[in-house]
Amino acid sequence: MRKFNPVPPLAATVVVGVAAAFLASRPAPAQQFIANQIENLISTATMTVQIEGLSGALTGDLRIESVIVSDPQGTFLTAKNLAMDWSPLALVRSNISIENLTAGQIVLERLPAGQPASDTDQGGGFSLPAITADIRNLAIAEFVLGEAIAGTRARLKASASLTLADDPTKLDVKANIDRLDQPGQIALDVSYAPAQNQLAIDVKASEPAGGLVATLLDIPDRPAVNLVVNGSGPLSDFMANGQLIVGGEQAATLTARVNDVADGRRLAASLNVAAERFVPEQYSQYVAGGANLDLQAVLRDDGTYLVEQGDLASEALALQTKGVLDLSGAGNDLTLAVASRDGSPIALSFGTPPDVTGLQVTRLDGTIRGAFTAAAVNLSAKLQRAGYGDYVAQGLSLDAKSPGFDLTGLKGPLAIEAIAQSIEAPEGIAERFLNGPLKIAANGALTENGFAFEPSEATTDVATLNLEGTAALNFAIFDLNLRSRFQTAALSAAAIPLAGAKTSLPRQFTRAADGAINAQKLAVTGAGLQITGNAGLMGGEVSADIQG
């Protein structure tokens, strides 16, 4: 990376002062030039920013009539009557000094669409930015959240102040948010002063029935919501407590404590949530009796986290994890285990009828080592049943491994070995081709476009299937080379004199985006039999060219 020497403070002061005097003496065209430069700087290929009515650039009283932000789907954010009374020369000292930062109206109709994923954070543990700031008054007279975000259109106002110092380090934040169209308020007060070994947190939020929080969380009947979180004391022995009341009933409680240890700070936290009330009905069985999180961890000075105990449990299931968590590096070394509390299988289902995948998981164990973008992953699972439609595997054991899987993008090399003790299938298939255990050895990768199969194999007592090629995640498009070998008796005992004891069937299957399916290089080969050709299916019409 190229590095530049910083401009000396005196020179920077002169440059900024001359620029400010020049722009203050220039009419609108000079101000519009600055606006255009700002637009070009912050706009991207997928997001456009338009600034209108800029005045006071680099003086002390910046004004903007409107800002419009658009993405490929159109405008999603507008802001009007923006004003900032500040000290531009303070930037020379890496300080942001603002007396007033106000907006007449900000409308956020929806979240931006079509934006590229942000780069993975390469930082370590938490640290304050290398600047100082003093924002004495931040005020938004009207902040409108669109229905696409809040489920219902909501009008709010906000006021805040911020102090960020570096010698000694200190952070003070105060904020108040109020609903304009109905009752509702959030108040936040945070003070962080590590040099004085002090931390104070005070959060209060309340809304009547039908409020924004209940709507965002999709809580049935939209009850009243009240939240309180507070804590204060030395960082070396800090404790915080929190409580969430929903509809007049306790919905969650939080207790957290932080103590100094030799290599960082130890965190002990307990969170109890009456989750059964707030999850969709099809998932309520998994959080019966509430969900309880117990965490014992050390926040190390190097930015990593030593998880000594991480338990998430309900009456139905338990998840346990421990090890080293390194969010931005390659130091991860984690183990996890999921099982039911009483040993019975955990029933899971995905999709909608008739395309439903059903799983009955007895246990799941795994390890993750290295960076999340290239992790060594090992997973093992025991399933009582696993099925899709008319096909059901019984007594399934599965092992999945990857030497470098990207957990953030869900892509990378993958090898799977599985054994099912028996298979249920439509009449005629199970008894002919699925006798005995089914063994699968799949090699390949998950990619941005779907599956990439390297030579893979599935075997039973009477048949073997080899697979290679590519397919979309939903198999709407695929290009697969298949070769099956099976005992001819599984097809018909009467065919043995003609084809011999074993029959081979290689072919190439493709499915295009328009749904056209083609089987090319078909070949049925036995001791005294050879049939070759091609076949296709498009729009309900079958075409074939078979020889033999």
Side-chain angles (χ1 to χ4, degrees):
M1 176 182 293
R2 297 175 63 188
K3 295 185 177 180
F4 300 88
N5 292 325
V7 178
L10 180 59
T13 302
V14 172
V15 171
V16 172
V18 171
F22 173 76
L23 289 170
S25 65
R26 299 284 292 180
Q31 303 288 335
Q32 188 57 46
F33 173 79
I34 295 295
N36 293 339
Q37 299 308 305
I38 296 174
E39 290 174 350
N40 294 334
L41 179 65
I42 60 181
S43 293
T44 68
T46 56
M47 185 179 297
T48 302
V49 179
Q50 294 177 282
I51 300 174
E52 298 291 341
L54 174 69
S55 64
L58 293 179
T59 62
D61 52 353
L62 178 66
R63 301 292 185 267
I64 299 176
E65 291 180 4
S66 70
V67 175
I68 300 174
V69 187
S70 306
D71 61 17
Q73 295 183 8
T75 299
F76 67 89
L77 183 145
T78 59
K80 297 180 180 179
N81 299 325
L82 306 178
M84 182 168 67
D85 300 322
W86 69 311
S87 173
L89 296 181
L91 292 174
V92 176
R93 304 186 302 275
S94 297
N95 173 254
I96 298 174
S97 179
I98 299 174
E99 184 67 33
N100 288 291
L101 178 60
T102 62
Q105 183 189 61
I106 296 176
V107 179
L108 181 61
E109 293 289 357
R110 55 177 174 80
L111 297 178
Q115 303 305 308
S118 60
D119 295 336
T120 302
D121 182 12
Q122 298 299 315
F126 171 77
S127 62
L128 295 175
I131 61 171
T132 61
D134 186 10
I135 303 175
R136 288 170 283 283
N137 176 50
L138 185 154
I140 303 174
E142 183 182 33
F143 188 5
V144 180
L145 289 177
E147 186 174 353
I149 296 176
T152 183
R153 201 166 183 82
R155 296 174 56 244
L156 309 97
K157 69 175 182 178
S159 62
S161 63
L162 167 70
T163 299
L164 176 60
D166 64 351
D167 189 17
T169 299
K170 185 177 182 181
L171 172 67
D172 286 315
V173 179
K174 294 183 179 181
N176 287 279
I177 301 173
D178 296 276
R179 286 288 297 267
L180 293 174
D181 46 5
Q182 69 175 55
Q185 183 182 45
I186 300 174
L188 168 71
D189 191 344
V190 176
S191 180
Y192 172 63
Q196 285 76 44
N197 194 29
Q198 290 292 318
L199 174 63
I201 299 173
D202 188 7
V203 180
K204 294 183 177 67
S206 64
E207 280 194 317
L212 188 61
V213 174
T215 301
L216 287 172
L217 296 179
D218 197 22
I219 301 176
D221 302 325
R222 307 294 189 263
V225 175
N226 290 274
L227 171 69
V228 176
V229 178
N230 54 60
S232 63
L235 285 168
S236 55
D237 189 13
F238 175 80
M239 177 172 284
N241 295 281
Q243 181 174 250
L244 175 65
I245 304 295
V246 176
E249 299 181 15
Q250 184 168 283
T253 59
L254 167 70
T255 301
R257 185 160 191 164
V258 180
N259 301 97
D260 277 350
V261 293
D263 56 349
R265 290 192 171 99
R266 179 182 300 279
L267 168 65
S270 177
L271 175 64
N272 302 306
V273 182
E276 193 172 0
R277 298 173 52 196
F278 310 117
V279 300
E281 184 177 354
Q282 62 267 35
Y283 302 117
S284 61
Q285 59 178 315
Y286 310 125
V287 292
N292 304 310
L293 172 67
D294 290 303
L295 177 66
Q296 299 280 342
V298 176
L299 287 64
R300 293 170 162 176
D301 294 332
D302 63 2
T304 63
Y305 306 86
L306 174 61
V307 181
E308 299 173 332
Q309 175 190 353
D311 295 338
L312 177 62
S314 68
E315 292 180 356
L317 56 83
L319 183 151
Q320 298 177 321
T321 185
K322 62 175 57 178
V324 177
L325 174 63
D326 186 357
L327 295 175
S328 59
N332 292 292
D333 188 358
L334 296 166
T335 63
L336 63 89
V338 181
S340 64
R341 297 292 293 271
D342 58 6
S344 61
I346 302 168
L348 303 172
S349 63
F350 308 94
T352 57
D355 301 321
V356 176
T357 298
L359 305 176
Q360 292 187 359
V361 182
T362 304
R363 185 171 181 85
L364 174 68
D365 295 277
T367 62
I368 299 173
R369 293 186 173 89
F372 284 140
T373 54
V377 177
N378 288 271
L379 295 175
S380 64
K382 301 290 185 182
L383 296 91
Q384 191 176 92
R385 289 169 60 93
Y388 176 81
D390 295 330
Y391 294 86
V392 178
Q394 304 270 12
L396 180 64
S397 299
L398 181 146
D399 291 289
K401 298 180 180 180
S402 175
F405 196 79
D406 183 358
L407 293 170
T408 61
L410 293 180
K411 58 185 178 181
L414 195 61
I416 299 175
E417 293 186 359
I419 299 177
Q421 297 305 314
S422 63
I423 300 291
E424 297 177 8
E427 184 177 356
I429 296 179
E431 59 267 27
R432 291 176 182 269
F433 298 101
L434 299 177
N435 292 334
L438 170 64
K439 300 178 182 180
I440 297 174
N443 299 288
L446 275 175
T447 70
E448 294 179 352
N449 299 318
F451 299 104
F453 295 101
E454 296 177 359
S456 303
E457 184 177 79
T459 62
T460 67
D461 287 351
V462 298
T464 299
L465 174 68
N466 295 99
L467 169 68
E468 190 173 1
T470 60
L473 287 174
N474 60 359
F475 280 82
I477 300 173
F478 54 77
D479 185 354
L480 301 172
N481 290 314
L482 304 175
R483 181 179 181 85
S484 59
R485 300 183 301 278
F486 53 88
Q487 295 178 13
T488 306
L491 185 64
S492 173
I496 295 178
L498 179 63
K502 293 186 177 180
T503 300
S504 176
L505 180 60
R507 66 272 199 194
Q508 179 181 3
F509 277 109
T510 62
R511 190 178 194 274
D514 60 4
I517 299 177
N518 288 287
Q520 299 176 333
K521 300 179 182 179
L522 285 169
V524 181
T525 305
L529 175 69
Q530 179 140 1
I531 300 174
T532 61
N534 302 309
L537 174 63
M538 176 62 179
E541 295 185 3
V542 178
S543 61
D545 180 13
I546 305 296
Q547 300 175 355

